């Protein structure tokens, strides 16, 4: 379904979002956000809690009206062609939303009816997806008896019922235990390698670097940067990092004089750079007396540098 929705114009984006804006009263949750997603790409919206990720993607999957801006999916205008678009997208919302009165299989069957799938085909597809998500053995159980990981897999199966061309996931693995998280990641990697386009939100750095071809880091409703995970790391955190606990004034002066990229957290100084330009060797021999850690730069460094290190509740 929806196959012929693609490539109706050029260049063809799966998602083209321009100047998206979402306000709640006076509050601006999404502030002039523009991005696109290419066919077969996995794009991640990365940001701390309250950044505006959910508000953004709820507009993309047609759940929440835009305050301003324009959105095209498969080249179709969201405002006028939502009915056609919905047949080609699958959505996992941030919260799991199964029907608690129905069994695992019934949940899928009822959902399939929203897509006008014939009953037999729906059941066949549902059973196939339950097997794919390792839930086959629980198909006649009520959903209230499922663990968090199973429930998430059920919601993922539900999102795939209509063979979507675009899968939209809001924090697919938040609150899952490591086994369940990896199980979901493996399925998503498979789907991606089969060519499914994916838009997801996350604040999990492992998830972002493992699954996403490209990332948009956002905060306070705005896009801060976008790019490939490796390129973002190189640009905003270099390649290697040295962390020095309880830095003294001499070290601070040295770092200033050398104009190193760094963050001074008071009790800890973090210096970003490249190990092979001998910066760290010079620091090490002069200043690493107590605690000093050298490690590779990560996406987490980029994230914290751009969104701040203060506690957020
Ligand atoms: N329905 C709403 N009414 C008022 N404020 C909202 C509503 N939904 C979200 N917000 C606010 O918008 C901001 C962005 O929220 P959200 O998009 O859920 O962020 P994220 O998904 O990145 O954590 C937050 O400050 C949140 O409190
Ligand atoms: Mg959210």
């Amino acid at each position: 379904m929806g196959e012929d929705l693609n490539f109706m114009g050029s260049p063809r984006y799966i998602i083209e979002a321009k100047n998206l804006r979402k306000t709640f009263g006076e509050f601006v949750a999404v502030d002039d956000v523009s991005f696109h997603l290419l066919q077969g790409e996995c794009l991640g919206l990365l940001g701390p809690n309250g950044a505006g990720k959910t508000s953004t993607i709820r507009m993309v999957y047609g759940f929440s009206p835009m305050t301003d801006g324009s959105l095209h999916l498969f080249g179709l205008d969201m405002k006028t062609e939502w009915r056609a678009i919905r047949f080609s997208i699958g959505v996992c919302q941030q919260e799991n939303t199964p029907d608690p009165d129905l069994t695992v299989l019934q949940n899928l069957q009822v959902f399939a009816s929203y897509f006008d799938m014939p009953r037999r085909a729906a059941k066949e597809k549902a059973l196939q997806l339950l097997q794919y998500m390792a839930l086959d053995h629980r198909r006649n159980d009520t959903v209230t008896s499922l663990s968090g990981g199973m429930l998430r897999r059920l919601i993922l199966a539900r999102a795939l019922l209509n063979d979507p061309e675009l899968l939209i996931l809001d924090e697919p693995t938040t609150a899952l235990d490591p086994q369940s998280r990896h199980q979901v990641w493996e399925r998503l990697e498979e789907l991606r390698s089969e060519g499914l386009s994916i838009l997801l939100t996350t604040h999990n750095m492992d998830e972002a670097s493992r699954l996403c071809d490209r990332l948009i880091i956002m905060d306070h409703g705005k896009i801060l940067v976008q790019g490939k995970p490796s390129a973002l790391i190189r640009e905003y955190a270099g390649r290697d990092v040295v962390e020095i606990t309880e830095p003294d004034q001499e070290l601070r002066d040295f770092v200033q004089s050398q104009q190193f990229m760094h963050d001074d957290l008071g009790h800890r100084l973090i210096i970003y750079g490249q190990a092979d330009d001998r910066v760290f060797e010079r620091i090490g021999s002069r200043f690493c007396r107590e605690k000093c850690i050298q490690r590779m730069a990560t996406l987490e460094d980029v994230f914290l540098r751009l969104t701040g290190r203060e506690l957020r509740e």
Side-chain angles (χ1 to χ4, degrees), residues 237-279:
R239 221 176 56 196
D240 306 281
V241 176
V242 170
E243 297 195 27
I244 300 163
T245 316
E246 306 304 341
D248 57 19
Q249 194 53 45
E250 196 190 349
L251 170 60
R252 286 203 166 89
D253 292 343
F254 179 69
V255 166
Q256 288 289 353
S257 71
Q258 302 291 313
Q259 298 186 318
F260 294 149
M261 186 157 59
H262 70 282
D263 286 327
D264 191 344
L265 310 180
H267 62 288
R268 205 154 50 99
L269 191 70
I270 309 178
I271 304 165
Y272 307 92
Q274 301 227 8
D276 56 8
D277 59 18
R278 303 184 37 132
V279 163

Side-chain angles (χ1 to χ4, degrees), residues 174-191:
T174 298
L176 296 189
D177 61 82
Q179 278 78 13
S180 304
R181 184 160 60 236
H182 281 265
Q183 206 164 10
V184 169
W185 283 349
E186 273 176 28
R187 287 296 172 266
L188 292 178
E189 280 175 327
E190 262 171 49
L191 292 163

Side-chain angles (χ1 to χ4, degrees), residues 46 48 216-220 223-226 232-233 235-237 263 272 299-310 312:
L46 184 62
I216 292 176
I217 301 185
M218 65 184 294
D219 200 8
H220 305 297
I223 293 180
L224 301 177
V225 295
Q226 45 185 317
L232 292 175
I233 294 170
E235 183 166 356
Y236 294 97
D263 286 327
Y272 307 92
L299 196 54
E300 193 144 323
D301 291 309
V302 179
F303 185 83
L304 290 173
R305 295 210 78 205
L306 293 171
T307 62
R309 292 176 185 268
E310 78 276 13
R312 305 216 187 153

Side-chain angles (χ1 to χ4, degrees), residues 13 49 53-54 74 78 132 142 165 186 204 242 312:
Y13 293 131
N49 281 335
K53 305 181 296 295
T54 297
F74 318 109
M78 189 67 155
Y132 184 60
T142 57
E165 287 185 57
E186 273 176 28
N204 181 310
V242 170
R312 305 216 187 153

Side-chain angles (χ1 to χ4, degrees), residues 24 27 29 47-56 94 170-171:
F24 298 104
F27 182 75
N49 281 335
K53 305 181 296 295
T54 297
S55 303
T56 301
Q94 189 164 344
D170 198 351
E171 302 205 8

